[in-house]
Short mmCIF file of all heavy atoms in Angstrom, two decimals:
data_model
loop_
_atom_site.label_atom_id
_atom_site.label_comp_id
_atom_site.label_asym_id
_atom_site.label_seq_id
_atom_site.Cartn_x
_atom_site.Cartn_y
_atom_site.Cartn_z
N ILE T 120 -2.21 -5.71 5.51
CA ILE T 120 -3.07 -6.41 4.55
C ILE T 120 -3.02 -7.91 4.79
O ILE T 120 -4.04 -8.60 4.72
CB ILE T 120 -2.64 -6.06 3.11
CG1 ILE T 120 -2.99 -4.60 2.80
CG2 ILE T 120 -3.32 -6.98 2.10
CD1 ILE T 120 -2.48 -4.11 1.47
N GLY T 121 -1.82 -8.42 5.10
CA GLY T 121 -1.70 -9.84 5.41
C GLY T 121 -2.56 -10.24 6.59
O GLY T 121 -3.27 -11.27 6.54
N ILE T 122 -2.54 -9.44 7.65
CA ILE T 122 -3.34 -9.75 8.83
C ILE T 122 -4.83 -9.64 8.52
O ILE T 122 -5.65 -10.48 8.95
CB ILE T 122 -2.96 -8.82 10.00
CG1 ILE T 122 -1.51 -9.10 10.44
CG2 ILE T 122 -3.92 -8.99 11.18
CD1 ILE T 122 -0.99 -8.12 11.46
N ILE T 123 -5.20 -8.62 7.75
CA ILE T 123 -6.60 -8.44 7.36
C ILE T 123 -7.09 -9.64 6.55
O ILE T 123 -8.21 -10.14 6.74
CB ILE T 123 -6.77 -7.13 6.56
CG1 ILE T 123 -6.89 -5.95 7.51
CG2 ILE T 123 -7.99 -7.17 5.67
CD1 ILE T 123 -8.18 -5.92 8.31
N ILE T 124 -6.25 -10.11 5.62
CA ILE T 124 -6.64 -11.28 4.82
C ILE T 124 -6.93 -12.47 5.74
O ILE T 124 -7.94 -13.16 5.59
CB ILE T 124 -5.53 -11.64 3.81
CG1 ILE T 124 -5.42 -10.57 2.72
CG2 ILE T 124 -5.81 -13.00 3.16
CD1 ILE T 124 -4.23 -10.75 1.81
N ILE T 125 -6.04 -12.69 6.70
CA ILE T 125 -6.22 -13.82 7.62
C ILE T 125 -7.51 -13.67 8.42
O ILE T 125 -8.33 -14.59 8.51
CB ILE T 125 -5.00 -13.94 8.56
CG1 ILE T 125 -3.74 -14.33 7.78
CG2 ILE T 125 -5.27 -14.95 9.67
CD1 ILE T 125 -2.46 -14.25 8.57
N LEU T 126 -7.71 -12.48 9.00
CA LEU T 126 -8.90 -12.25 9.84
C LEU T 126 -10.19 -12.36 9.03
O LEU T 126 -11.18 -12.92 9.50
CB LEU T 126 -8.81 -10.87 10.51
CG LEU T 126 -7.68 -10.68 11.53
CD1 LEU T 126 -7.63 -9.23 11.99
CD2 LEU T 126 -7.86 -11.61 12.72
N LYS T 127 -10.15 -11.82 7.81
CA LYS T 127 -11.37 -11.83 6.98
C LYS T 127 -11.68 -13.23 6.42
O LYS T 127 -12.84 -13.53 6.12
CB LYS T 127 -11.22 -10.84 5.83
CG LYS T 127 -11.14 -9.38 6.26
CD LYS T 127 -12.46 -8.88 6.80
CE LYS T 127 -12.41 -7.39 7.08
NZ LYS T 127 -13.69 -6.87 7.60
N GLN T 128 -10.66 -14.06 6.25
CA GLN T 128 -10.88 -15.38 5.67
C GLN T 128 -11.25 -16.44 6.69
O GLN T 128 -11.75 -17.51 6.33
CB GLN T 128 -9.63 -15.83 4.90
CG GLN T 128 -9.33 -15.00 3.65
CD GLN T 128 -10.51 -14.90 2.73
OE1 GLN T 128 -11.18 -15.87 2.40
NE2 GLN T 128 -10.78 -13.67 2.28
N ILE T 129 -11.04 -16.17 7.97
CA ILE T 129 -11.38 -17.16 8.99
C ILE T 129 -12.85 -17.55 8.93
O ILE T 129 -13.19 -18.75 8.93
CB ILE T 129 -10.97 -16.65 10.39
CG1 ILE T 129 -9.44 -16.65 10.53
CG2 ILE T 129 -11.61 -17.51 11.49
CD1 ILE T 129 -8.94 -16.02 11.81
N PRO T 130 -13.80 -16.60 8.87
CA PRO T 130 -15.21 -17.01 8.76
C PRO T 130 -15.48 -17.84 7.50
O PRO T 130 -16.19 -18.85 7.56
CB PRO T 130 -15.97 -15.67 8.72
CG PRO T 130 -15.06 -14.71 9.41
CD PRO T 130 -13.68 -15.13 9.03
N HIS T 131 -14.93 -17.43 6.36
CA HIS T 131 -15.14 -18.18 5.12
C HIS T 131 -14.54 -19.59 5.22
O HIS T 131 -15.08 -20.54 4.67
CB HIS T 131 -14.53 -17.44 3.93
CG HIS T 131 -15.15 -16.10 3.66
ND1 HIS T 131 -16.44 -15.96 3.24
CD2 HIS T 131 -14.65 -14.84 3.78
CE1 HIS T 131 -16.72 -14.68 3.09
NE2 HIS T 131 -15.64 -13.98 3.41
N PHE T 132 -13.42 -19.70 5.91
CA PHE T 132 -12.76 -20.99 6.10
C PHE T 132 -13.70 -21.98 6.79
O PHE T 132 -13.70 -23.18 6.48
CB PHE T 132 -11.48 -20.79 6.91
CG PHE T 132 -10.62 -22.02 7.05
CD1 PHE T 132 -9.67 -22.35 6.10
CD2 PHE T 132 -10.76 -22.86 8.16
CE1 PHE T 132 -8.88 -23.48 6.24
CE2 PHE T 132 -9.98 -23.99 8.30
CZ PHE T 132 -9.03 -24.30 7.34
N PHE T 133 -14.49 -21.48 7.74
CA PHE T 133 -15.40 -22.34 8.49
C PHE T 133 -16.81 -22.37 7.90
O PHE T 133 -17.75 -22.88 8.51
CB PHE T 133 -15.46 -21.90 9.95
CG PHE T 133 -14.18 -22.16 10.70
CD1 PHE T 133 -13.34 -21.12 11.03
CD2 PHE T 133 -13.81 -23.45 11.04
CE1 PHE T 133 -12.15 -21.35 11.71
CE2 PHE T 133 -12.63 -23.70 11.72
CZ PHE T 133 -11.78 -22.64 12.05
N GLY T 134 -16.94 -21.80 6.69
CA GLY T 134 -18.22 -21.89 6.01
C GLY T 134 -19.25 -20.87 6.43
O GLY T 134 -20.46 -21.09 6.26
N TYR T 135 -18.80 -19.73 6.98
CA TYR T 135 -19.72 -18.64 7.33
C TYR T 135 -19.46 -17.51 6.35
O TYR T 135 -18.45 -16.81 6.44
CB TYR T 135 -19.50 -18.19 8.77
CG TYR T 135 -20.49 -17.14 9.23
CD1 TYR T 135 -21.83 -17.46 9.42
CD2 TYR T 135 -20.08 -15.84 9.49
CE1 TYR T 135 -22.74 -16.50 9.85
CE2 TYR T 135 -20.99 -14.88 9.92
CZ TYR T 135 -22.31 -15.21 10.09
OH TYR T 135 -23.21 -14.26 10.51
N ASP T 136 -20.37 -17.30 5.41
CA ASP T 136 -20.13 -16.38 4.29
C ASP T 136 -21.12 -15.22 4.27
O ASP T 136 -21.54 -14.76 3.21
CB ASP T 136 -20.21 -17.15 2.97
CG ASP T 136 -19.20 -18.29 2.91
OD1 ASP T 136 -18.00 -17.99 3.01
OD2 ASP T 136 -19.61 -19.46 2.79
N ALA T 137 -21.49 -14.71 5.44
CA ALA T 137 -22.44 -13.60 5.50
C ALA T 137 -21.85 -12.33 4.90
O ALA T 137 -22.55 -11.56 4.24
CB ALA T 137 -22.85 -13.35 6.96
N ASP T 138 -20.55 -12.10 5.12
CA ASP T 138 -19.89 -10.92 4.55
C ASP T 138 -19.21 -11.33 3.25
O ASP T 138 -18.52 -12.35 3.20
CB ASP T 138 -18.84 -10.38 5.53
CG ASP T 138 -18.32 -9.01 5.11
OD1 ASP T 138 -19.15 -8.12 4.88
OD2 ASP T 138 -17.09 -8.85 5.01
N PRO T 139 -19.40 -10.57 2.18
CA PRO T 139 -18.81 -10.98 0.90
C PRO T 139 -17.30 -10.95 0.90
O PRO T 139 -16.68 -10.14 1.61
CB PRO T 139 -19.38 -9.96 -0.10
CG PRO T 139 -19.75 -8.78 0.73
CD PRO T 139 -20.17 -9.32 2.06
N GLU T 140 -16.68 -11.82 0.11
CA GLU T 140 -15.24 -11.77 -0.11
C GLU T 140 -14.87 -10.39 -0.65
O GLU T 140 -15.60 -9.81 -1.46
CB GLU T 140 -14.83 -12.83 -1.13
CG GLU T 140 -14.94 -14.26 -0.64
CD GLU T 140 -13.70 -14.69 0.10
OE1 GLU T 140 -12.85 -13.83 0.39
OE2 GLU T 140 -13.58 -15.90 0.39
N GLY T 141 -13.72 -9.88 -0.23
CA GLY T 141 -13.27 -8.59 -0.75
C GLY T 141 -13.66 -7.41 0.11
O GLY T 141 -13.25 -6.29 -0.17
N ASP T 142 -14.46 -7.63 1.15
CA ASP T 142 -14.78 -6.55 2.08
C ASP T 142 -13.68 -6.49 3.12
O ASP T 142 -13.68 -7.24 4.09
CB ASP T 142 -16.14 -6.80 2.72
CG ASP T 142 -16.57 -5.67 3.65
OD1 ASP T 142 -15.87 -4.64 3.67
OD2 ASP T 142 -17.59 -5.80 4.34
N PHE T 143 -12.72 -5.57 2.93
CA PHE T 143 -11.56 -5.50 3.82
C PHE T 143 -11.68 -4.40 4.87
O PHE T 143 -10.75 -4.18 5.64
CB PHE T 143 -10.29 -5.27 3.00
CG PHE T 143 -9.82 -6.51 2.26
CD1 PHE T 143 -8.74 -6.46 1.40
CD2 PHE T 143 -10.47 -7.72 2.43
CE1 PHE T 143 -8.31 -7.60 0.72
CE2 PHE T 143 -10.06 -8.87 1.77
CZ PHE T 143 -8.97 -8.80 0.91
N ALA T 144 -12.80 -3.67 4.90
CA ALA T 144 -12.98 -2.61 5.89
C ALA T 144 -13.30 -3.21 7.26
O ALA T 144 -13.86 -4.30 7.36
CB ALA T 144 -14.09 -1.67 5.46
N PHE T 145 -12.95 -2.48 8.32
CA PHE T 145 -13.21 -2.98 9.68
C PHE T 145 -14.71 -3.10 9.92
O PHE T 145 -15.19 -4.12 10.41
CB PHE T 145 -12.58 -2.04 10.71
CG PHE T 145 -12.79 -2.49 12.13
CD1 PHE T 145 -12.13 -3.61 12.63
CD2 PHE T 145 -13.67 -1.82 12.97
CE1 PHE T 145 -12.33 -4.04 13.94
CE2 PHE T 145 -13.87 -2.23 14.29
CZ PHE T 145 -13.20 -3.34 14.76
N PHE T 146 -15.48 -2.06 9.57
CA PHE T 146 -16.93 -2.11 9.69
C PHE T 146 -17.49 -2.64 8.37
O PHE T 146 -17.38 -2.00 7.34
CB PHE T 146 -17.50 -0.73 10.02
CG PHE T 146 -17.06 -0.22 11.37
CD1 PHE T 146 -16.10 0.78 11.48
CD2 PHE T 146 -17.60 -0.75 12.53
CE1 PHE T 146 -15.69 1.24 12.72
CE2 PHE T 146 -17.21 -0.29 13.78
CZ PHE T 146 -16.24 0.70 13.87
N GLN T 147 -18.11 -3.80 8.43
CA GLN T 147 -18.45 -4.56 7.24
C GLN T 147 -19.85 -4.21 6.72
O GLN T 147 -20.67 -3.65 7.44
CB GLN T 147 -18.34 -6.06 7.54
CG GLN T 147 -16.97 -6.47 8.01
CD GLN T 147 -16.89 -7.93 8.42
OE1 GLN T 147 -15.82 -8.48 8.56
NE2 GLN T 147 -18.03 -8.59 8.61
N VAL T 148 -20.10 -4.62 5.48
CA VAL T 148 -21.38 -4.33 4.85
C VAL T 148 -22.51 -5.18 5.47
O VAL T 148 -23.68 -4.85 5.31
CB VAL T 148 -21.32 -4.57 3.33
CG1 VAL T 148 -20.37 -3.61 2.67
CG2 VAL T 148 -20.93 -6.01 3.01
N ASP T 149 -22.15 -6.26 6.18
CA ASP T 149 -23.19 -7.09 6.79
C ASP T 149 -23.55 -6.62 8.20
O ASP T 149 -24.31 -7.28 8.92
CB ASP T 149 -22.77 -8.56 6.83
CG ASP T 149 -21.59 -8.83 7.76
OD1 ASP T 149 -20.87 -7.86 8.08
OD2 ASP T 149 -21.39 -9.98 8.17
N GLY T 150 -22.99 -5.46 8.60
CA GLY T 150 -23.32 -4.90 9.91
C GLY T 150 -22.39 -5.32 11.02
O GLY T 150 -22.45 -4.77 12.12
N GLN T 151 -21.53 -6.28 10.78
CA GLN T 151 -20.56 -6.73 11.78
C GLN T 151 -19.23 -5.98 11.58
O GLN T 151 -19.08 -5.18 10.66
CB GLN T 151 -20.33 -8.23 11.65
CG GLN T 151 -21.58 -9.07 11.84
CD GLN T 151 -22.10 -9.05 13.27
OE1 GLN T 151 -21.35 -8.89 14.23
NE2 GLN T 151 -23.41 -9.18 13.42
N ASN T 152 -18.27 -6.26 12.46
CA ASN T 152 -16.91 -5.79 12.22
C ASN T 152 -16.00 -7.01 12.10
O ASN T 152 -16.44 -8.15 12.22
CB ASN T 152 -16.43 -4.83 13.31
CG ASN T 152 -16.38 -5.49 14.69
OD1 ASN T 152 -15.79 -6.54 14.87
ND2 ASN T 152 -17.00 -4.85 15.68
N THR T 153 -14.73 -6.77 11.85
CA THR T 153 -13.81 -7.87 11.57
C THR T 153 -13.82 -8.92 12.67
O THR T 153 -13.82 -10.13 12.38
CB THR T 153 -12.38 -7.31 11.40
OG1 THR T 153 -12.39 -6.35 10.35
CG2 THR T 153 -11.41 -8.43 11.07
N PHE T 154 -13.83 -8.49 13.93
CA PHE T 154 -13.72 -9.45 15.03
C PHE T 154 -15.07 -10.06 15.42
O PHE T 154 -15.14 -11.25 15.76
CB PHE T 154 -13.06 -8.78 16.23
CG PHE T 154 -11.65 -8.35 15.96
CD1 PHE T 154 -11.34 -7.02 15.72
CD2 PHE T 154 -10.62 -9.28 15.91
CE1 PHE T 154 -10.04 -6.63 15.45
CE2 PHE T 154 -9.31 -8.90 15.64
CZ PHE T 154 -9.02 -7.57 15.40
N SER T 155 -16.13 -9.27 15.36
CA SER T 155 -17.44 -9.83 15.69
C SER T 155 -17.86 -10.87 14.65
O SER T 155 -18.58 -11.82 14.97
CB SER T 155 -18.49 -8.73 15.80
OG SER T 155 -18.72 -8.12 14.54
N GLU T 156 -17.40 -10.70 13.41
CA GLU T 156 -17.70 -11.67 12.35
C GLU T 156 -17.08 -13.03 12.68
O GLU T 156 -17.69 -14.08 12.44
CB GLU T 156 -17.16 -11.17 11.01
CG GLU T 156 -17.56 -12.00 9.82
CD GLU T 156 -18.97 -11.70 9.33
OE1 GLU T 156 -19.61 -10.78 9.86
OE2 GLU T 156 -19.42 -12.40 8.41
N ILE T 157 -15.87 -13.01 13.25
CA ILE T 157 -15.21 -14.27 13.63
C ILE T 157 -16.01 -14.96 14.74
O ILE T 157 -16.19 -16.19 14.72
CB ILE T 157 -13.77 -14.00 14.08
CG1 ILE T 157 -12.93 -13.48 12.90
CG2 ILE T 157 -13.12 -15.26 14.65
CD1 ILE T 157 -11.53 -13.05 13.26
N LEU T 158 -16.52 -14.18 15.70
CA LEU T 158 -17.33 -14.75 16.77
C LEU T 158 -18.63 -15.34 16.22
O LEU T 158 -19.09 -16.40 16.67
CB LEU T 158 -17.65 -13.68 17.82
CG LEU T 158 -16.44 -13.13 18.60
CD1 LEU T 158 -16.87 -12.01 19.53
CD2 LEU T 158 -15.74 -14.24 19.37
#
Side-chain angles (χ1 to χ4, degrees):
I120 290 174
I122 294 173
I123 278 291
I124 291 172
I125 293 171
L126 294 174
K127 294 290 186 180
Q128 293 308 313
I129 289 174
H131 297 294
F132 186 88
F133 291 107
Y135 185 69
D136 301 300
D138 191 53
E140 290 274 11
D142 183 7
F143 286 175
F145 181 71
F146 295 105
Q147 301 176 165
V148 295
D149 67 340
Q151 300 292 330
N152 62 52
T153 302
F154 296 103
S155 67
E156 187 81 4
I157 295 174
L158 295 176

